[in-house]
Amino acid sequence: MSELIADIETLVRCESPSSDLEAVARSAETVAGVGRRLLGAEPERLVTDGCTHLRWRFGDGPPRVLLLGHHDTVWPLGSLRTHPFAVEDGILRGPGCFDMKAGVVMALHAAAALPDRAGVAILVTGDEEIGSPLSRALIEEEARSCAAVFVLEASADGGALKTRRKGVSQYWIEVEGRAAHAGLEPEKGVNAGIEVAHQILAVAALADAGRGTTVVPTALRAGTTTNTVPAAASVAVDARVWDVAEQDRVDRAVRNLAPVLADARIRIAGGINRPPLEAAASAELFELADALAAGLGIGPLTQAAVGGASDGNFTAGLGIPTLDGLGAVGGGAHADDEHVVVAELPRRTALLAALTESVLAQRSSSTPTNRHRESRTGQR
């Protein structure tokens, strides 16, 4: 327990906001140092457009189990001054502790506890909090041969594992109008603000509460001065869905948007960012985890469907069985009260080690992985 806490402290004290590539590089070296001590092996440093990710591979063949996490956080440099690392009354606090530096440490400790690590890969990325634009290809490459992916994102409420995640699409609607004096001759302008308002109403109408589909206009910009007809405007759109069919429906509808005002023009940027992590991707791995937890005396486990996405969405989208939320138990991700329940750290680490060892022991083609991958392939 004390070693787990000390290693989490080491990672938390090395701040790593996603947008600061130098900070992320320092954090990667810190993670590498902890992993080197625990695993007796140096990781590969995979740098994509200046962002540093780490990968350990064990054994000679392709990996069968991927332990997946990230070491970047949403917290800016200097957050330790206002949110210092602390452990008090069984609660660990500090920026990024719950999401997800504790999970990274748990992955390293679980791998270190295995009697044989052959077939295990550990991937710790540096850009998850900004949508994984630089690491997605690495994640998918590493997962393709695997029988299971275990994602060390923090648990849901009460320690529940995350067995469903919504897919995410992100769009930017840019409107081009025509400027004119708002008082002297507004009729000569094409008001991009009014046009973007029409588009906002159109995309908001794509939501479907019955299917859990949300389509939310978010960041909005329009105009330059108070006495000028806006010549340009834009709005960002966040869309989240439970299934691929809905994601495709929303995507088609957004791309088919047309201007309402004469002479206005619109451009659509963005698109599907992460596919859904559907229940079929995690069902058999959750059953396995629940059985193993009972044997370890830490069950029964609970499960949750959540609106947020993770890198597990990518691996599930490939048809690889994926179980998420195996990291820290606690709460307050991205918030002032971010915290980890200390007593759960060794229990969940032991569960991760047991899961990994169990999947590695499975060699036949009837494993949950192969059946799920065949099922996904058949649907395409």
Side-chain angles (χ1 to χ4, degrees):
M1 171 80 86
S2 60
E3 190 178 18
L4 270 168
I5 293 173
D7 287 340
I8 295 170
E9 179 178 4
T10 297
L11 267 59
V12 170
R13 289 192 181 277
C14 185
E15 296 178 305
S16 53
S18 310
S19 59
D20 189 326
L21 297 180
E22 291 184 1
V24 170
R26 289 193 297 270
S27 172
E29 290 307 307
T30 302
V31 175
V34 173
R36 186 188 311 116
R37 191 193 80 245
L38 291 170
L39 303 171
E42 193 73 28
E44 297 174 78
R45 288 154 179 83
L46 307 169
V47 181
T48 55
D49 288 352
C51 185
T52 309
H53 322 286
L54 300 174
R55 178 173 64 194
W56 282 267
R57 284 177 175 169
F58 300 97
D60 297 327
R64 285 182 52 77
V65 175
L66 174 60
L67 307 183
L68 181 58
H70 65 89
H71 66 103
D72 61 312
T73 76
V74 301
W75 294 87
L77 292 180
S79 295
L80 281 166
R81 291 194 294 271
T82 55
H83 298 76
F85 179 88
V87 181
E88 186 176 0
D89 297 329
I91 299 296
L92 183 152
R93 300 183 186 276
C97 64
F98 183 62
D99 185 15
M100 60 161 286
K101 294 194 173 185
V104 171
V105 170
M106 292 164 66
L108 297 173
H109 277 257
L114 296 172
D116 182 358
R117 292 193 284 273
V120 175
I122 304 170
L123 183 60
V124 184
T125 64
D127 65 340
E128 192 275 345
E129 294 291 3
I130 56 173
S132 308
L134 304 175
S135 61
R136 177 175 182 170
L138 294 173
I139 294 164
E140 293 180 338
E141 173 194 351
E142 205 64 22
R144 288 186 193 279
S145 66
C146 286
V149 175
F150 297 126
V151 185
L152 274 298
E153 289 284 359
S155 67
D157 290 347
L161 300 186
K162 296 171 179 177
T163 53
R164 289 182 75 195
R165 282 187 181 272
K166 282 187 175 182
V168 179
S169 301
Q170 296 172 325
Y171 303 95
W172 290 265
I173 302 174
E174 300 175 348
V175 176
E176 179 184 340
R178 185 168 60 244
H181 194 292
L184 293 178
E185 45 190 12
E187 71 281 358
K188 291 186 176 180
V190 177
N191 196 314
I194 293 176
E195 180 61 50
V196 83
H198 284 296
Q199 301 303 323
I200 287 171
L201 294 175
V203 294
L206 298 175
D208 186 336
R211 298 191 66 169
T213 300
T214 60
V215 185
V216 182
T218 55
L220 173 65
R221 291 188 299 239
T224 54
T225 68
T226 59
N227 60 350
T228 303
V229 173
S234 66
V235 64
V237 179
D238 179 294
R240 302 191 181 230
V241 301
W242 286 121
D243 61 79
V244 171
E246 271 294 89
Q247 194 165 45
D248 290 341
R249 176 188 70 83
V250 171
D251 188 69
R252 286 192 302 272
V254 171
R255 297 191 184 286
N256 286 329
L257 290 171
V260 175
L261 302 182
D263 296 329
R265 298 179 180 179
I266 65 172
R267 292 184 296 273
I268 309 297
I272 294 171
N273 173 256
R274 285 179 166 93
L277 193 167
E278 299 186 40
S282 60
E284 293 190 44
L285 287 178
F286 178 80
E287 291 180 8
L288 175 61
D290 198 32
L292 292 170
L296 293 169
I298 58 174
L301 299 178
T302 57
Q303 57 185 307
V306 297
S310 82
D311 288 339
N313 290 63
F314 295 139
T315 62
L318 294 175
I320 312 298
T322 300
L323 188 59
D324 204 337
L326 284 159
V329 177
H334 300 191
D336 289 340
D337 66 336
E338 183 169 10
H339 66 279
V340 170
V341 178
V342 171
E344 293 295 333
L345 288 169
R347 298 171 188 165
R348 297 296 278 253
T349 303
L351 175 60
L352 178 62
L355 272 168
T356 303
E357 188 172 6
S358 178
V359 173
L360 289 174
Q362 297 174 357
R363 301 294 177 185
S364 75
S365 61
S366 62
T367 63
T369 297
N370 292 325
R371 288 202 299 273
H372 177 62
R373 184 181 286 121
E374 290 162 4
S375 172
R376 294 282 295 182
T377 302
Q379 292 172 7
R380 291 174 179 165

